[in-house]
Amino acid sequence: MGWHNGCIRCMVGVPVASVIATVLCFAGVALFCGCGHEALSGTEKLIETYFSKNYQEYEYLIHVVNAFQYAIYGIAIFFFLFGILLLAEGFYTTTAIKHILGEFKPHAIKGGLISTVTGGPPKSRGPRSRHPVHTLELLCRCLGRWLGHPDKFVGVTYAVTILWILIFACSAVPVYIYFNTWVTCQSIAVPAKTSAGISNLCADARMYGILPWNSFPGKVCGTSLLAICKTSEFQMTFHLFIAAFVGAGATLVALLTYMIGASFNYAVLRVTGRSDRKF
């Protein structure tokens, strides 16, 4: 029954916070990467179609967009591996803490063996009661050599969280730009909402640094801008950026949850004097 003990040792005391954070992290990263990738492609198409007719004027923009899209692939791979690693750490450290605090009760096993998760190896009543170690138990022991160090995971998670806060702030920029354009279109559609003339209401891509100042036309005004806002490309790109921003926010919440959980586990190990012990 060695496999049973190994399974209990690895799985008992499920870290609810880590599980929720992992699901939230995967969902947030999927939204951010998938929607962000398509939104960048939509932005590139809008610039090419309506704001500049010279390829050299937005060539640099295309290179930047392509670089961000490749970075998105890397972000997706990193968070997939990082989320799995943090989830495994949550399982292992939570089990170790309950081991220390003695929250696991003895479990009776057939064949005259009585083993506990908190105790050492199973006590045997006879030489024939030994059983071969199961593969799952070997896997748990292998993971234990790499996990059980919440202090390291706290530091790494802090660094990743700080970097992600910057990405979260950057993801708000295109939402702000598209929202301003949408508000301008609403003013054009209902002239009574503004005292300015319709021809003076414009969306200028140059003022946001998207295009150089010598780009032509660089901006679209009046009814031409309203026509752009009504296109499916603009509406879809706007909503995709919003979804990417929401995904970035969900990922940030997941990272904060990871960080709080890892900090709590480390604090418990420090209080119990086991922070340097390998479980």
Side-chain angles (χ1 to χ4, degrees), residues 15-208:
V16 179
S18 293
V19 173
I20 295 176
T22 301
V23 174
L24 190 61
C25 179
F26 286 170
V29 170
L31 268 179
F32 174 79
C33 294
C35 296
H37 185 278
E38 295 301 319
L40 289 173
S41 299
T43 299
E44 180 182 336
K45 185 177 180 180
L46 288 172
I47 293 295
E48 294 176 357
T49 306
Y50 302 106
F51 289 89
S52 179
K53 303 300 182 181
N54 187 355
Y55 174 77
Q56 294 180 349
E57 294 177 351
Y58 57 85
E59 181 180 6
Y60 177 75
L61 174 66
I62 292 178
H63 292 319
V64 172
V65 168
N66 291 335
F68 272 114
Q69 289 177 333
Y70 282 113
I72 283 175
Y73 298 145
I75 289 173
I77 296 173
F78 170 79
F79 273 97
F80 177 75
L81 299 176
F82 189 60
I84 292 177
L85 187 61
L86 286 178
L87 180 62
E89 167 65 15
F91 269 99
Y92 195 85
T93 309
T94 301
T95 303
I97 289 175
K98 290 194 175 184
H99 179 131
I100 294 172
L101 299 179
E103 295 183 10
F104 296 157
K105 297 180 180 180
H107 295 271
I109 301 178
K110 296 180 181 180
L113 291 177
I114 300 179
S115 64
T116 63
V117 181
T118 56
K123 296 182 180 180
S124 173
R125 292 185 179 179
R128 297 183 179 179
S129 58
R130 295 182 179 179
H131 296 275
V133 179
H134 195 269
T135 305
L136 180 59
E137 188 173 359
L138 290 176
L139 178 61
C140 293
R141 291 178 182 178
C142 182
L143 287 174
R145 296 178 183 178
W146 302 98
L147 304 177
H149 299 279
D151 53 334
K152 299 179 181 179
F153 283 92
V154 169
V156 173
T157 309
Y158 263 97
V160 173
T161 302
I162 292 174
L163 291 176
W164 192 257
I165 289 175
L166 297 177
I167 296 177
F168 175 70
C170 291
S171 67
V173 174
V175 176
Y176 171 76
I177 295 174
Y178 274 87
F179 179 76
N180 280 348
T181 305
W182 179 80
V183 171
T184 303
C185 287
Q186 295 302 309
S187 300
I188 296 174
V190 185
K193 292 184 177 181
T194 178
S195 58
I198 294 178
S199 59
N200 295 326
L201 297 176
C202 306
D204 194 342
R206 299 170 299 181
M207 66 181 296
Y208 299 109

Side-chain angles (χ1 to χ4, degrees), residues 220-241:
V220 180
C221 305
T223 56
S224 298
L225 177 60
L226 181 61
I228 295 175
C229 291
K230 291 181 178 180
T231 60
S232 59
E233 291 84 1
F234 178 87
Q235 295 291 333
M236 180 61 68
T237 304
F238 184 22
H239 288 88
L240 285 174
F241 271 123

